[in-house]
Amino acid sequence: MHFPSPIAARAAVTIAVTAGLFCIAAAAAEGPLAHRADLDAETRARVAAVIRPTDDFSKPEPFEIMQAGAATTRKRINRDIFSQSLGNLSFEQERDFKLGNGLFRKLWVSAPSSTQASDGLGPLFNARSCQRCHLKDGRGAPPAPGETASSMFLRLSVPPRTEEERRLLADKRLLRIPEPTYGGQLQEFAVPGLEPEGHMEIDYTEIPVTLAGGETVSLRKPSYRVTGLANGPMAEDAMVSPRVAPPMIGLGLIEQIHAGDILAHADPEDADGDGISGRPSMVRDSATGEIVLGRFGWKASQPDIAAQSSGAFNGDIGISSPQAPASWGDCTEAQAQCRAMPSGVQARLGDVEAPDPIMELVTFYARNLAVPRRRHVKDPQVLEGKRQFYAAGCASCHVPKYVTRKDAPQKEQAFQLIWPYSDLLLHDMGEGLADGRPVGDASGSEWRTSPLWGIGLTETVSGHTQFLHDGRARNLLEAILWHGGEAQSARDTVAAMSRGERAALIRFLESL
């Protein structure tokens, strides 16, 4: 099978859009995609036609195989496929990508040490490097019985108790109130001389579900508890939420989806009556102070990759950076011993443990991890599964495609037809998946729609098939059957499918 080169593919997508090889809607300033100031009126109409949902499932859509446009990687599929750079980076950009990869994999050590450039771990932490959670840049998993969690942790918070806390939440200066003693997340590791905060333990209860035709599936419902708390009990009203590390691919392209394209799918009051009411997560950009759209993280609580990276460096590893300057990481004022431990700040390097260009290179790495090309797009079963996906209503939230901003700061990510299969909005997913822990605009039962690109390669990269925010689903069908709330109708449609229809749907998802 012939695939176009990345440059040729990008040119083809560009030509297809600009030359009008697809149906073209009438162009007008107040017409389709009027919010796209990066496009002229004619191009807006053409882009609107390109991203319109298909109704032809007899063959693949144009360029569907290149699901990240010219940035799609065409490297051989193996365990390293999520660690490849965009397919259209220059030689110089490849150098920065590799430098960023080195920092992403770097093991930080406790201070003081002889390796001064790596000082600053913790004092409390969940991992010693980014790679330890995002193994092979893929999906994390819950710990097996008896294991210490390495790619999953518990978020912690409490309801607001004072007018000041309520004001900070309303003003979005904070998105949640940390648990007073243990902070924003439970850290299961600590530097020498300090006790870890505690350990997460998970119990599962099996729930049988009968599908059409008599097929039975068992779902495992998790429950969480924390043992060995080092600083006494948590607050009685503490809220916990488990999180596995999500895959890293395609983040830079998601960053370049025009906010208006995402907001166009929002329907908070369900005005169209279709039962789907996606809501945007609006957050405060810590760099500019402005209220902007959140699009990263399980609750869409981060606006961009730089903020997401700085937050993870500080919360997960305990490394300070210009955007998150606390050298003690997530240690609270109640953890005086933790705050008194040596930090890795060195005067010759500045006021933080990971000054620029460290964070710039790590962010560049995260921004330029590529999405693999689709597989089996012409397979009749895949096409039938795609039809079932649309018919069940899955595409209402898992929005298939976008064309990225033409004025993207990095030209390799500009004006690309991409297929992330997400609206990046918050949706009520029902009581079954609720964590009962609000974060910013997200209620305790709302989650951001997860992108699906690359989901079929989870076992190849990560060695498992555990999905959802806490890895409770052991395969794709279980993940679908956990959907509730706004997705209840789609879930019920899948449950009512024949065995063959469900197999086709799963086959389609595995091709992404």
Side-chain angles (χ1 to χ4, degrees):
M1 184 178 294
H2 171 72
F3 298 105
S5 70
I7 295 176
R10 183 186 178 199
V13 172
T14 302
I15 290 170
V17 171
T18 57
L21 299 183
F22 304 106
C23 296
I24 302 174
E30 64 277 11
L33 306 181
H35 56 273
R36 292 289 299 261
D38 58 317
L39 307 176
D40 60 38
E42 183 179 4
T43 309
R44 286 199 298 270
R46 292 169 180 165
V47 169
V50 169
I51 63 175
R52 184 175 302 145
T54 187
D55 57 3
D56 181 0
F57 303 99
S58 64
K59 59 183 182 300
E61 295 173 74
F63 310 110
E64 187 175 6
I65 194 169
M66 300 291 282
Q67 57 183 346
T72 305
T73 181
R74 303 191 307 148
K75 296 284 187 179
R76 187 163 60 91
I77 300 297
N78 57 30
R79 199 182 176 207
D80 295 322
I81 191 60
F82 283 4
S83 300
Q84 306 299 327
S85 61
L86 299 190
N88 52 356
L89 288 190
S90 67
F91 180 80
E92 290 76 16
Q93 290 170 318
E94 285 279 0
R95 177 201 58 199
D96 289 345
F97 180 84
K98 289 173 181 174
L99 288 172
N101 187 17
L103 293 167
F104 193 82
R105 300 164 65 93
K106 175 180 180 172
L107 293 175
W108 294 84
V109 298
S110 58
S113 76
S114 58
T115 57
Q116 295 183 9
S118 301
D119 281 12
L121 177 68
L124 296 167
F125 60 97
N126 292 103
R128 288 183 60 197
S129 72
C130 308
Q131 175 83 352
R132 288 289 176 91
C133 288
H134 300 278
L135 190 60
K136 295 292 182 182
D137 302 291
R139 187 182 303 271
E147 284 186 352
T148 299
S150 60
S151 58
M152 177 180 180
F153 63 75
L154 289 177
R155 289 276 190 215
L156 309 173
S157 60
V158 294
R161 299 167 176 177
T162 65
E163 284 303 316
E164 173 64 6
E165 289 179 343
R166 280 185 275 275
R167 187 188 65 77
L168 290 170
L169 290 177
D171 195 37
K172 298 186 184 296
R173 300 287 172 184
L174 292 177
L175 296 184
R176 75 285 181 280
I177 305 300
E179 200 281 335
T181 301
Y182 292 94
Q185 62 195 68
L186 181 75
Q187 280 129 343
E188 302 206 32
F189 298 95
V191 299
L194 193 66
E195 291 291 321
E197 290 187 311
H199 297 286
M200 170 180 59
E201 296 192 16
I202 313 172
D203 295 311
Y204 292 103
T205 302
E206 295 290 336
I207 304 173
V209 176
T210 302
L211 308 178
E215 182 182 354
T216 300
V217 175
S218 183
L219 303 181
R220 60 174 185 174
K221 179 181 179 181
S223 61
Y224 300 91
R225 65 180 187 279
V226 180
T227 60
L229 285 170
N231 301 99
M234 289 188 192
E236 290 185 358
D237 54 356
M239 299 175 285
V240 302
S241 181
R243 308 289 171 84
V244 298
M248 298 285 294
I249 59 173
L251 300 182
L253 292 162
I254 288 175
E255 198 172 44
Q256 294 311 321
I257 297 173
H258 196 289
D261 288 356
I262 297 171
L263 296 173
H265 293 285
D267 185 15
E269 303 301 326
D270 192 20
D272 62 6
D274 67 351
I276 307 297
S277 53
R279 296 197 306 124
S281 169
M282 304 307 293
V283 301
R284 187 173 292 279
D285 186 328
S286 60
T288 66
E290 298 176 353
I291 300 296
V292 297
L293 177 67
R295 61 181 77 189
F296 294 103
W298 288 105
K299 297 267 188 179
S301 53
Q302 293 288 2
D304 54 42
I305 300 168
Q308 178 80 10
S309 300
S310 296
F313 251 64
N314 197 251
D316 301 351
I317 312 177
I319 299 296
S320 56
S321 65
Q323 275 193 259
S327 61
W328 52 78
D330 191 42
C331 299
T332 66
E333 292 182 0
Q335 294 169 310
Q337 183 187 359
C338 179
R339 289 209 175 191
M341 301 292 283
S343 81
V345 175
Q346 299 167 52
R348 64 186 178 85
L349 298 177
D351 298 330
V352 295
E353 295 154 322
D356 290 331
I358 290 176
M359 291 309 302
E360 291 174 345
L361 288 168
V362 170
T363 300
F364 185 84
Y365 175 73
R367 184 173 283 141
N368 287 283
L369 281 161
V371 178
R373 67 183 185 274
R374 283 277 306 278
R375 292 143 294 120
H376 316 300
V377 291
K378 295 180 180 178
D379 185 322
Q381 189 183 28
V382 170
L383 290 168
E384 170 60 16
K386 182 179 175 183
R387 188 180 72 80
Q388 296 293 345
F389 182 85
Y390 277 68
C394 305
S396 296
C397 301
H398 290 285
V399 173
K401 50 190 172 178
Y402 300 86
V403 173
T404 59
R405 298 182 66 111
K406 199 169 186 178
D407 57 358
Q410 195 176 321
K411 67 177 183 180
E412 293 74 21
Q413 296 162 346
F415 207 43
Q416 299 296 323
L417 174 59
I418 63 172
W419 307 72
Y421 283 91
S422 171
D423 63 6
L424 303 171
L425 296 172
L426 299 172
H427 292 275
D428 181 351
M429 296 300 292
E431 283 303 308
L433 289 178
D435 64 356
R437 177 178 176 272
V439 178
D441 289 329
S443 73
S445 61
E446 288 181 317
W447 298 91
R448 182 203 66 160
T449 306
S450 292
L452 297 181
W453 51 11
I455 197 167
L457 292 170
T458 300
E459 186 166 18
T460 300
V461 173
S462 303
H464 66 78
T465 57
Q466 300 183 74
F467 302 105
L468 300 175
H469 66 280
D470 55 4
R472 69 176 67 185
R474 292 163 290 195
N475 52 55
L476 291 169
L477 180 57
E478 287 188 23
I480 295 170
L481 295 174
W482 271 110
H483 283 49
E486 297 175 42
Q488 186 68 45
S489 176
R491 177 263 180 216
D492 292 347
T493 300
V494 174
M497 289 178 178
S498 69
R499 188 186 293 263
E501 291 169 336
R502 279 196 298 274
L505 175 63
I506 299 301
R507 176 75 169 156
F508 163 67
L509 294 173
E510 289 174 343
S511 77
L512 297 178

